[in-house]
Amino acid sequence: MNRPALATAGTVLGLLLLIGGKAATSADPLAFAGQSNVALAPAAQGTMTGPLITTRYGPVQVRVTVKGGKLTDVQAVALPTGGKSGSIADYSAPILRREALAAQGAGIHAVSGATYTSEGYASSLQAALDQIANQPTQTTQSAQTGRGA
């Protein structure tokens, strides 16, 4: 066989392997690594503000509300502001909220173009849920200040 035929065959084989191959990653490669859904006790309820997460483009912080062991609300307390970062944060906040409520936790998908904001959102959310899971008798507390929200 001549060289051009071998090169063509190798390229075709490589493309077939690339297209048909399965990646050795998690079942959900878009969900953030290390973020899991917290198993909340059925009686768990309260409102918790997660820590302020400093990202490359600005601070991110969320407040969660849990009723009857279910995540019922997520509100962004702090997001990047101004310029393009502010526009991206404004666009991504409702998507991230919807993702968190659907996932019932911080195992959310990143919003395209808002990776840093998405990561900060998931981290603050996870910390707030961990606080509620670990302190189910307290109904309202702030992880950042230690005072009621």
Side-chain angles (χ1 to χ4, degrees), residues 7-48:
T8 302
T11 301
V12 170
L13 179 60
L15 286 173
L16 288 174
L17 289 172
L18 182 65
I19 293 170
K22 297 279 185 183
T25 61
S26 69
D28 191 357
L30 297 177
F32 293 111
Q35 303 297 335
S36 62
N37 293 338
V38 176
L40 295 168
Q45 54 185 16
T47 299
M48 182 68 63

mmCIF file of all heavy atoms in Angstrom, residues 7-48:
data_model
loop_
_atom_site.group_PDB
_atom_site.id
_atom_site.type_symbol
_atom_site.label_atom_id
_atom_site.label_comp_id
_atom_site.label_asym_id
_atom_site.label_seq_id
_atom_site.Cartn_x
_atom_site.Cartn_y
_atom_site.Cartn_z
ATOM 1 N N ALA A 7 -2.335 6.990 4.951
ATOM 2 C CA ALA A 7 -2.688 8.218 5.672
ATOM 3 C C ALA A 7 -4.199 8.422 5.669
ATOM 4 O O ALA A 7 -4.794 8.778 6.689
ATOM 5 C CB ALA A 7 -1.988 9.418 5.045
ATOM 6 N N THR A 8 -4.829 8.187 4.540
ATOM 7 C CA THR A 8 -6.282 8.331 4.432
ATOM 8 C C THR A 8 -6.989 7.316 5.323
ATOM 9 O O THR A 8 -7.927 7.653 6.053
ATOM 10 C CB THR A 8 -6.745 8.176 2.974
ATOM 11 O OG1 THR A 8 -6.080 9.145 2.173
ATOM 12 C CG2 THR A 8 -8.243 8.362 2.847
ATOM 13 N N ALA A 9 -6.533 6.066 5.284
ATOM 14 C CA ALA A 9 -7.142 5.018 6.104
ATOM 15 C C ALA A 9 -6.974 5.334 7.593
ATOM 16 O O ALA A 9 -7.897 5.158 8.391
ATOM 17 C CB ALA A 9 -6.529 3.665 5.769
ATOM 18 N N GLY A 10 -5.806 5.833 7.973
ATOM 19 C CA GLY A 10 -5.559 6.197 9.370
ATOM 20 C C GLY A 10 -6.438 7.347 9.822
ATOM 21 O O GLY A 10 -6.965 7.351 10.935
ATOM 22 N N THR A 11 -6.624 8.328 8.961
ATOM 23 C CA THR A 11 -7.473 9.472 9.280
ATOM 24 C C THR A 11 -8.923 9.043 9.441
ATOM 25 O O THR A 11 -9.601 9.430 10.397
ATOM 26 C CB THR A 11 -7.355 10.551 8.175
ATOM 27 O OG1 THR A 11 -5.991 10.952 8.076
ATOM 28 C CG2 THR A 11 -8.232 11.744 8.491
ATOM 29 N N VAL A 12 -9.409 8.217 8.526
ATOM 30 C CA VAL A 12 -10.787 7.727 8.594
ATOM 31 C C VAL A 12 -10.991 6.910 9.862
ATOM 32 O O VAL A 12 -11.977 7.086 10.589
ATOM 33 C CB VAL A 12 -11.161 6.916 7.331
ATOM 34 C CG1 VAL A 12 -12.485 6.200 7.512
ATOM 35 C CG2 VAL A 12 -11.202 7.830 6.117
ATOM 36 N N LEU A 13 -10.064 6.031 10.180
ATOM 37 C CA LEU A 13 -10.156 5.206 11.377
ATOM 38 C C LEU A 13 -10.154 6.085 12.635
ATOM 39 O O LEU A 13 -10.947 5.890 13.552
ATOM 40 C CB LEU A 13 -9.005 4.197 11.429
ATOM 41 C CG LEU A 13 -8.969 3.279 12.655
ATOM 42 C CD1 LEU A 13 -10.247 2.438 12.723
ATOM 43 C CD2 LEU A 13 -7.755 2.393 12.621
ATOM 44 N N GLY A 14 -9.283 7.061 12.658
ATOM 45 C CA GLY A 14 -9.222 7.980 13.796
ATOM 46 C C GLY A 14 -10.520 8.740 13.990
ATOM 47 O O GLY A 14 -11.020 8.889 15.110
ATOM 48 N N LEU A 15 -11.099 9.225 12.902
ATOM 49 C CA LEU A 15 -12.373 9.944 12.985
ATOM 50 C C LEU A 15 -13.498 9.036 13.458
ATOM 51 O O LEU A 15 -14.344 9.437 14.259
ATOM 52 C CB LEU A 15 -12.729 10.567 11.636
ATOM 53 C CG LEU A 15 -11.919 11.809 11.249
ATOM 54 C CD1 LEU A 15 -12.237 12.229 9.816
ATOM 55 C CD2 LEU A 15 -12.202 12.949 12.201
ATOM 56 N N LEU A 16 -13.520 7.802 12.968
ATOM 57 C CA LEU A 16 -14.551 6.856 13.400
ATOM 58 C C LEU A 16 -14.432 6.564 14.900
ATOM 59 O O LEU A 16 -15.439 6.493 15.607
ATOM 60 C CB LEU A 16 -14.476 5.564 12.585
ATOM 61 C CG LEU A 16 -14.940 5.665 11.135
ATOM 62 C CD1 LEU A 16 -14.669 4.363 10.395
ATOM 63 C CD2 LEU A 16 -16.415 6.025 11.073
ATOM 64 N N LEU A 17 -13.212 6.389 15.370
ATOM 65 C CA LEU A 17 -13.007 6.150 16.798
ATOM 66 C C LEU A 17 -13.402 7.370 17.627
ATOM 67 O O LEU A 17 -13.989 7.246 18.694
ATOM 68 C CB LEU A 17 -11.554 5.773 17.075
ATOM 69 C CG LEU A 17 -11.118 4.397 16.588
ATOM 70 C CD1 LEU A 17 -9.614 4.222 16.752
ATOM 71 C CD2 LEU A 17 -11.874 3.314 17.326
ATOM 72 N N LEU A 18 -13.086 8.544 17.133
ATOM 73 C CA LEU A 18 -13.419 9.779 17.829
ATOM 74 C C LEU A 18 -14.930 9.989 17.906
ATOM 75 O O LEU A 18 -15.472 10.311 18.958
ATOM 76 C CB LEU A 18 -12.760 10.968 17.122
ATOM 77 C CG LEU A 18 -12.982 12.341 17.763
ATOM 78 C CD1 LEU A 18 -12.331 12.386 19.130
ATOM 79 C CD2 LEU A 18 -12.415 13.420 16.873
ATOM 80 N N ILE A 19 -15.610 9.775 16.807
ATOM 81 C CA ILE A 19 -17.060 9.977 16.749
ATOM 82 C C ILE A 19 -17.811 8.895 17.519
ATOM 83 O O ILE A 19 -18.737 9.174 18.261
ATOM 84 C CB ILE A 19 -17.553 10.045 15.292
ATOM 85 C CG1 ILE A 19 -17.008 11.302 14.621
ATOM 86 C CG2 ILE A 19 -19.070 10.015 15.231
ATOM 87 C CD1 ILE A 19 -17.223 11.349 13.126
ATOM 88 N N GLY A 20 -17.401 7.653 17.373
ATOM 89 C CA GLY A 20 -18.136 6.545 17.970
ATOM 90 C C GLY A 20 -17.699 6.176 19.366
ATOM 91 O O GLY A 20 -18.382 5.429 20.047
ATOM 92 N N GLY A 21 -16.584 6.711 19.819
ATOM 93 C CA GLY A 21 -16.068 6.338 21.138
ATOM 94 C C GLY A 21 -16.863 6.963 22.261
ATOM 95 O O GLY A 21 -17.455 8.028 22.135
ATOM 96 N N LYS A 22 -16.888 6.278 23.380
ATOM 97 C CA LYS A 22 -17.531 6.799 24.585
ATOM 98 C C LYS A 22 -16.450 7.431 25.446
ATOM 99 O O LYS A 22 -15.403 6.844 25.669
ATOM 100 C CB LYS A 22 -18.205 5.665 25.367
ATOM 101 C CG LYS A 22 -19.314 4.993 24.618
ATOM 102 C CD LYS A 22 -20.562 5.803 24.724
ATOM 103 C CE LYS A 22 -21.704 5.060 24.063
ATOM 104 N NZ LYS A 22 -22.905 5.779 24.050
ATOM 105 N N ALA A 23 -16.729 8.599 25.964
ATOM 106 C CA ALA A 23 -15.777 9.264 26.842
ATOM 107 C C ALA A 23 -15.788 8.605 28.213
ATOM 108 O O ALA A 23 -16.824 8.185 28.699
ATOM 109 C CB ALA A 23 -16.140 10.742 26.976
ATOM 110 N N ALA A 24 -14.646 8.532 28.825
ATOM 111 C CA ALA A 24 -14.540 7.932 30.159
ATOM 112 C C ALA A 24 -14.735 9.012 31.207
ATOM 113 O O ALA A 24 -13.826 9.384 31.932
ATOM 114 C CB ALA A 24 -13.182 7.271 30.319
ATOM 115 N N THR A 25 -15.934 9.567 31.254
ATOM 116 C CA THR A 25 -16.249 10.613 32.217
ATOM 117 C C THR A 25 -17.479 10.205 33.006
ATOM 118 O O THR A 25 -18.005 9.129 32.847
ATOM 119 C CB THR A 25 -16.518 11.951 31.498
ATOM 120 O OG1 THR A 25 -17.636 11.775 30.623
ATOM 121 C CG2 THR A 25 -15.311 12.415 30.699
ATOM 122 N N SER A 26 -17.949 11.125 33.831
ATOM 123 C CA SER A 26 -19.129 10.844 34.630
ATOM 124 C C SER A 26 -20.353 10.708 33.734
ATOM 125 O O SER A 26 -20.328 11.070 32.567
ATOM 126 C CB SER A 26 -19.345 11.970 35.640
ATOM 127 O OG SER A 26 -19.735 13.144 34.969
ATOM 128 N N ALA A 27 -21.431 10.211 34.309
ATOM 129 C CA ALA A 27 -22.672 10.037 33.556
ATOM 130 C C ALA A 27 -23.191 11.371 33.062
ATOM 131 O O ALA A 27 -23.854 11.444 32.040
ATOM 132 C CB ALA A 27 -23.708 9.353 34.427
ATOM 133 N N ASP A 28 -22.913 12.437 33.769
ATOM 134 C CA ASP A 28 -23.376 13.763 33.385
ATOM 135 C C ASP A 28 -22.177 14.706 33.334
ATOM 136 O O ASP A 28 -21.855 15.351 34.316
ATOM 137 C CB ASP A 28 -24.421 14.276 34.376
ATOM 138 C CG ASP A 28 -25.114 15.520 33.887
ATOM 139 O OD1 ASP A 28 -24.752 16.033 32.801
ATOM 140 O OD2 ASP A 28 -26.021 15.999 34.586
ATOM 141 N N PRO A 29 -21.488 14.785 32.195
ATOM 142 C CA PRO A 29 -20.259 15.556 32.125
ATOM 143 C C PRO A 29 -20.450 17.057 32.295
ATOM 144 O O PRO A 29 -19.502 17.753 32.569
ATOM 145 C CB PRO A 29 -19.716 15.237 30.732
ATOM 146 C CG PRO A 29 -20.907 14.850 29.937
ATOM 147 C CD PRO A 29 -21.835 14.190 30.911
ATOM 148 N N LEU A 30 -21.666 17.565 32.164
ATOM 149 C CA LEU A 30 -21.893 18.992 32.318
ATOM 150 C C LEU A 30 -22.186 19.394 33.751
ATOM 151 O O LEU A 30 -22.155 20.565 34.080
ATOM 152 C CB LEU A 30 -23.042 19.450 31.407
ATOM 153 C CG LEU A 30 -22.789 19.286 29.913
ATOM 154 C CD1 LEU A 30 -24.008 19.695 29.123
ATOM 155 C CD2 LEU A 30 -21.573 20.055 29.465
ATOM 156 N N ALA A 31 -22.488 18.436 34.611
ATOM 157 C CA ALA A 31 -22.724 18.749 36.017
ATOM 158 C C ALA A 31 -21.374 18.999 36.671
ATOM 159 O O ALA A 31 -20.363 18.449 36.268
ATOM 160 C CB ALA A 31 -23.458 17.609 36.703
ATOM 161 N N PHE A 32 -21.367 19.834 37.680
ATOM 162 C CA PHE A 32 -20.111 20.191 38.313
ATOM 163 C C PHE A 32 -19.576 19.069 39.172
ATOM 164 O O PHE A 32 -20.286 18.482 39.968
ATOM 165 C CB PHE A 32 -20.272 21.459 39.154
ATOM 166 C CG PHE A 32 -20.545 22.660 38.317
ATOM 167 C CD1 PHE A 32 -21.773 23.269 38.343
ATOM 168 C CD2 PHE A 32 -19.575 23.153 37.470
ATOM 169 C CE1 PHE A 32 -22.034 24.364 37.552
ATOM 170 C CE2 PHE A 32 -19.826 24.246 36.673
ATOM 171 C CZ PHE A 32 -21.048 24.854 36.708
ATOM 172 N N ALA A 33 -18.290 18.774 38.995
ATOM 173 C CA ALA A 33 -17.643 17.747 39.811
ATOM 174 C C ALA A 33 -17.648 18.188 41.264
ATOM 175 O O ALA A 33 -17.448 19.351 41.571
ATOM 176 C CB ALA A 33 -16.209 17.553 39.334
ATOM 177 N N GLY A 34 -17.908 17.265 42.153
ATOM 178 C CA GLY A 34 -17.907 17.572 43.578
ATOM 179 C C GLY A 34 -19.223 18.120 44.084
ATOM 180 O O GLY A 34 -19.404 18.282 45.272
ATOM 181 N N GLN A 35 -20.133 18.417 43.205
ATOM 182 C CA GLN A 35 -21.429 18.927 43.623
ATOM 183 C C GLN A 35 -22.420 17.781 43.584
ATOM 184 O O GLN A 35 -22.600 17.150 42.568
ATOM 185 C CB GLN A 35 -21.918 20.051 42.704
ATOM 186 C CG GLN A 35 -20.980 21.211 42.605
ATOM 187 C CD GLN A 35 -20.746 21.944 43.905
ATOM 188 O OE1 GLN A 35 -21.563 21.925 44.806
ATOM 189 N NE2 GLN A 35 -19.617 22.579 44.014
ATOM 190 N N SER A 36 -23.048 17.519 44.692
ATOM 191 C CA SER A 36 -24.016 16.440 44.738
ATOM 192 C C SER A 36 -25.300 16.957 45.359
ATOM 193 O O SER A 36 -25.305 17.993 46.002
ATOM 194 C CB SER A 36 -23.474 15.273 45.557
ATOM 195 O OG SER A 36 -23.255 15.682 46.888
ATOM 196 N N ASN A 37 -26.334 16.211 45.157
ATOM 197 C CA ASN A 37 -27.587 16.577 45.779
ATOM 198 C C ASN A 37 -27.590 16.061 47.209
ATOM 199 O O ASN A 37 -27.327 14.896 47.450
ATOM 200 C CB ASN A 37 -28.769 16.023 44.986
ATOM 201 C CG ASN A 37 -28.874 16.699 43.632
ATOM 202 O OD1 ASN A 37 -28.377 17.800 43.449
ATOM 203 N ND2 ASN A 37 -29.505 16.047 42.695
ATOM 204 N N VAL A 38 -27.856 16.933 48.146
ATOM 205 C CA VAL A 38 -27.867 16.601 49.558
ATOM 206 C C VAL A 38 -29.173 15.897 49.878
ATOM 207 O O VAL A 38 -30.243 16.338 49.472
ATOM 208 C CB VAL A 38 -27.757 17.897 50.401
ATOM 209 C CG1 VAL A 38 -27.859 17.593 51.876
ATOM 210 C CG2 VAL A 38 -26.469 18.620 50.090
ATOM 211 N N ALA A 39 -29.076 14.810 50.622
ATOM 212 C CA ALA A 39 -30.288 14.122 51.062
ATOM 213 C C ALA A 39 -30.798 14.860 52.295
ATOM 214 O O ALA A 39 -30.237 14.745 53.382
ATOM 215 C CB ALA A 39 -29.978 12.670 51.385
ATOM 216 N N LEU A 40 -31.838 15.645 52.106
ATOM 217 C CA LEU A 40 -32.412 16.405 53.212
ATOM 218 C C LEU A 40 -33.453 15.555 53.920
ATOM 219 O O LEU A 40 -34.216 14.839 53.288
ATOM 220 C CB LEU A 40 -33.060 17.697 52.685
ATOM 221 C CG LEU A 40 -32.092 18.699 52.057
ATOM 222 C CD1 LEU A 40 -32.862 19.789 51.327
ATOM 223 C CD2 LEU A 40 -31.186 19.310 53.105
ATOM 224 N N ALA A 41 -33.467 15.653 55.228
ATOM 225 C CA ALA A 41 -34.468 14.930 56.009
ATOM 226 C C ALA A 41 -35.844 15.454 55.624
ATOM 227 O O ALA A 41 -35.999 16.642 55.319
ATOM 228 C CB ALA A 41 -34.219 15.140 57.497
ATOM 229 N N PRO A 42 -36.871 14.592 55.629
ATOM 230 C CA PRO A 42 -38.209 15.026 55.249
ATOM 231 C C PRO A 42 -38.719 16.213 56.071
ATOM 232 O O PRO A 42 -39.504 17.010 55.584
ATOM 233 C CB PRO A 42 -39.077 13.796 55.487
ATOM 234 C CG PRO A 42 -38.132 12.645 55.412
ATOM 235 C CD PRO A 42 -36.822 13.152 55.903
ATOM 236 N N ALA A 43 -38.247 16.345 57.298
ATOM 237 C CA ALA A 43 -38.688 17.449 58.155
ATOM 238 C C ALA A 43 -37.811 18.687 58.000
ATOM 239 O O ALA A 43 -38.096 19.721 58.599
ATOM 240 C CB ALA A 43 -38.690 17.002 59.616
ATOM 241 N N ALA A 44 -36.738 18.597 57.211
ATOM 242 C CA ALA A 44 -35.821 19.727 57.059
ATOM 243 C C ALA A 44 -36.538 20.893 56.415
ATOM 244 O O ALA A 44 -37.231 20.745 55.415
ATOM 245 C CB ALA A 44 -34.612 19.324 56.227
ATOM 246 N N GLN A 45 -36.363 22.052 57.023
ATOM 247 C CA GLN A 45 -36.890 23.268 56.425
ATOM 248 C C GLN A 45 -36.141 24.461 56.956
ATOM 249 O O GLN A 45 -35.490 24.390 57.987
ATOM 250 C CB GLN A 45 -38.385 23.408 56.622
ATOM 251 C CG GLN A 45 -38.901 23.329 58.008
ATOM 252 C CD GLN A 45 -40.425 23.355 57.987
ATOM 253 O OE1 GLN A 45 -41.059 23.136 56.965
ATOM 254 N NE2 GLN A 45 -41.011 23.640 59.107
ATOM 255 N N GLY A 46 -36.205 25.513 56.223
ATOM 256 C CA GLY A 46 -35.543 26.740 56.626
ATOM 257 C C GLY A 46 -34.971 27.469 55.438
ATOM 258 O O GLY A 46 -35.068 27.023 54.299
ATOM 259 N N THR A 47 -34.387 28.599 55.736
ATOM 260 C CA THR A 47 -33.744 29.435 54.728
ATOM 261 C C THR A 47 -32.300 29.604 55.133
ATOM 262 O O THR A 47 -32.014 29.873 56.302
ATOM 263 C CB THR A 47 -34.442 30.807 54.641
ATOM 264 O OG1 THR A 47 -35.802 30.580 54.260
ATOM 265 C CG2 THR A 47 -33.774 31.710 53.635
ATOM 266 N N MET A 48 -31.415 29.435 54.186
ATOM 267 C CA MET A 48 -29.990 29.513 54.470
ATOM 268 C C MET A 48 -29.312 30.289 53.353
ATOM 269 O O MET A 48 -29.579 30.052 52.180
ATOM 270 C CB MET A 48 -29.401 28.102 54.543
ATOM 271 C CG MET A 48 -27.933 28.052 54.871
ATOM 272 S SD MET A 48 -27.543 28.567 56.533
ATOM 273 C CE MET A 48 -28.401 27.312 57.463
#
